[in-house]
Structure formats: structure tokens, C-alpha cells
Amino acid sequence: MEEIKKIGVLTSGGDAPGMNAAIRAVVRAGSHHGLEVFGINRGYQGMIDGDIIPLPPTSVSGIIQKGGTILQTARCMEFMEYEGRKKAYDQLQRFGIQAVIVIGGDGSFTGASIMSKEFDIPFIGIPGTIDNDLYGTDVTIGYDTAISTAVEAVDKIRDTASSHGRIFFVEVMGRNAGFLALSTGIACGAEGILVPEEKGQLGKLRKYLAERAAHKKSSIIIVAEGDEEGGAITIAKRIQEEFPNLSIRTSILGHIQRGGSPSAYDRITASRMGSAAIEALLDDQKSIMIGIVNNEVAYVPLSKSIKLHKDVDRDLLKLAEELV
Ligand code: F6P
């Protein structure tokens, strides 16, 4: 295998706080090992368009604390087709880029895995998503910050909920995963947590509300966006019909959870993963994702991280029920 001298880094899919810290780590660790690092703007779309810029070490000064991603991000349909990936490969060749580090989620890694096989180019994945839904790592970049953002918001909702004795259904992000909902719910002392990984939770909620209704107490029910019963609005509507005497309100936290300055933990995780990605490349690895497992850096085949399902912590689910 020829010696790697030039690499590209991109962010793809939904942005997550800490992506900038990961870009910085890739650039600085790359430079430390004598690599030339290029930034690919707007994810795979920028790769196709040749929107590629040099990233010298000074270009990433002052970004570790910034939310979002300085490289911008995109969900690119064209990259899903072979023709799109061929265009992207030709652009990499034009710039002499021999390997790519992708900071993103499972969709981004699927593209990386396919292109890596088609064009024999090493791709290293760094998990960056607030959903924390990637197999092979205990944490993803952005998850910790998003929990704190959601908790801060729910604490405020709790104030008004208790003042009015209301039931609030609060929807948090997580397309198909309940990690953010579960952590937020436990940290806020929620009276109910609905996640896609657990079936039949609505029955328990009905029972709880029937018993509690008489006390006129407020309750916070956290709903993961991808819950099987529908989002918070759908569920709240059904519950309101069944319990007409309850004063029910809904709140969708939405994209606020994706923004903000990353927590110290996310910055450190991003720094560790960025540096580990460079080491993996220098070690001739390809098509792997960097993970953190039991606080140690771990290397997982990209194919596994995409295919295998990471389950929510069942002990945490039990804990949440026990503490209501
Ligand atoms: O994957 C992260 C995520 O924030 C999901 O939780 C959410 O469903 C999705 O992105 C929203 O994506 P978009 O910003 O493209 O609407």
C-alpha cells in the first residue's frame, strides 16, 4: 500500500456539537504525523463538487468550543448512486487525497463503506450524532451535549407544568433510537419515557395517569421522536381523548438539541477519536469506525457499525420505572 500523505476530512448527516473539536483533532494530529489535511465542505456533496480546501493547523484555531461544523454538512442523494461516487472519487484523485475521515452517523458510514470497496480508498469513521445510535461505541460525539440541552429545557417546562398541574409530553430527537429520551428522562425525573426500543409503554402510562389523575399532580412524559406510537403530538391527542379532565400540553424540543457549545466531555471524546482516526490510517486500517468502549479507544469494522443494532441500556429503563 502506498504511503499516505494527503487525507480529507468531512462532516456528514445531522450536525452534532463537538464535530468541530473532531475536525481540529484530525487536522492537528494529522499535521503532527506529517500529513497534509484537506477539508471537504458540505459532506459528500462537496466531495462530488470538488469543494475542497487545505486545512493547515492554524485553520482550526478557536473552533473547539463552537457548535455546528465549520465544514458544513449535507445529506447527499447523489452520493447514493454509483455515478455520484465516481465523480467524488475523481475529485479526490484531482486533489491527490488518498484517504478520508468521515465524521457522521450510520447513513454517512454506509456511503463510506460502499465507496471504500468500489474504489479501494481507506475511509475511517468518527461517530458524530446526537442520537448515540451506533453499534461499537458507548458514546457518539454530541450526545452528551444534547442531553444537557434537553435537560435544561425540560427543567423549565417542569416549572410551568407543576404551576398548572399539567401533563406535558416533551418530544426529544432520535429518529429510531431512544438513547437521548432515556437519558433526558432519568436526568429530569420524568414520570414516563417512551422509546422505540420498548413496546407497550402506552399501557403503563395509561395506568399511571389513571392513578395520578385524582391528585392533580404535574407530570413530564418524554417521547422519543421515533416512538412506535407516533410523536408526542399524536400520543398527547390520544391520551387527551381518553382522559378529558387532564390538562395536557405538548412541547417539541427539535433542532435546539443539535446546537450549542459542546460539553467538555464531547470535546475530549472528539479529540480522542480524531487522533485515533489518524493513528488507524497510519496503521494501514481501512473501513473502520473509531469507538469508545469502557473508556478505551476501540476499532470496529464500518460494516459492523452499520449493520448491528445498539440497544438502549435495559437497566436504565428499569431504573426509570423504579424511580417514578
Ligand atoms: O440524526 C440526528 C437527527 O438529529 C435525528 O435525531 C433527527 O431525526 C434528524 O437528525 C433530523 O434531521 P434533519 O435536520 O435533516 O431534519
Side-chain angles (χ1 to χ4, degrees), residues 14-223:
D15 62 325
M19 279 185 163
N20 282 326
I23 296 167
R24 173 183 177 271
V26 166
V27 169
R28 294 274 165 92
S31 156
H32 177 80
H33 289 283
L35 301 180
E36 203 177 332
V37 184
F38 289 82
I40 302 168
N41 287 321
R42 298 177 292 116
Y44 293 119
Q45 191 59 57
M47 199 189 271
I48 291 171
D49 298 342
D51 188 358
I52 297 173
I53 49 162
L55 287 182
T58 51
S59 67
V60 291
S61 298
I63 66 166
I64 196 167
Q65 79 284 12
K66 287 192 175 150
T69 157
I70 59 158
L71 293 176
Q72 295 195 288
T73 184
R75 300 191 196 275
C76 178
M77 296 304 152
E78 204 181 342
F79 196 76
M80 291 181 184
E81 307 297 328
Y82 175 80
E83 288 70 29
R85 294 191 294 274
K86 172 76 176 75
K87 276 190 209 164
Y89 178 70
D90 290 344
Q91 294 289 5
L92 294 182
Q93 293 282 90
R94 200 159 73 83
F95 284 83
I97 293 173
Q98 300 155 286
V100 180
I101 295 177
V102 176
I103 306 165
D106 57 351
S108 315
F109 292 171
T110 303
S113 177
I114 297 171
M115 184 165 169
S116 179
K117 276 188 211 128
E118 283 172 345
F119 299 98
D120 193 27
I121 179 160
F123 272 84
I124 306 289
I126 294 181
T129 162
I130 64 163
D131 291 351
N132 194 32
D133 59 346
L134 278 163
Y135 178 88
T137 185
D138 293 344
V139 286
T140 57
I141 296 168
Y143 175 54
D144 184 64
T145 308
I147 296 169
S148 293
T149 303
V151 166
E152 197 185 328
V154 175
D155 284 350
K156 287 177 180 161
I157 291 171
R158 174 77 83 179
D159 289 345
T160 176
S162 57
S163 301
H164 287 264
R166 280 178 169 153
I167 314 294
F168 261 86
F169 286 82
V170 184
E171 185 176 297
V172 300
M173 275 188 165
R175 210 193 322 250
N176 301 309
F179 294 92
L180 190 53
L182 185 52
S183 297
T184 303
I186 290 180
C188 293
E191 282 72 18
I193 305 173
L194 305 181
V195 294
E197 292 85 351
E198 183 80 337
K199 310 285 165 217
Q201 296 158 300
L202 221 45
K204 283 184 200 156
L205 180 65
R206 285 190 184 99
K207 193 165 165 282
Y208 165 81
L209 290 175
E211 286 164 7
R212 274 278 182 121
H215 303 294
K216 294 234 182 298
K217 290 242 174 81
S218 68
S219 295
I220 299 284
I221 315 299
I222 305 289
V223 184

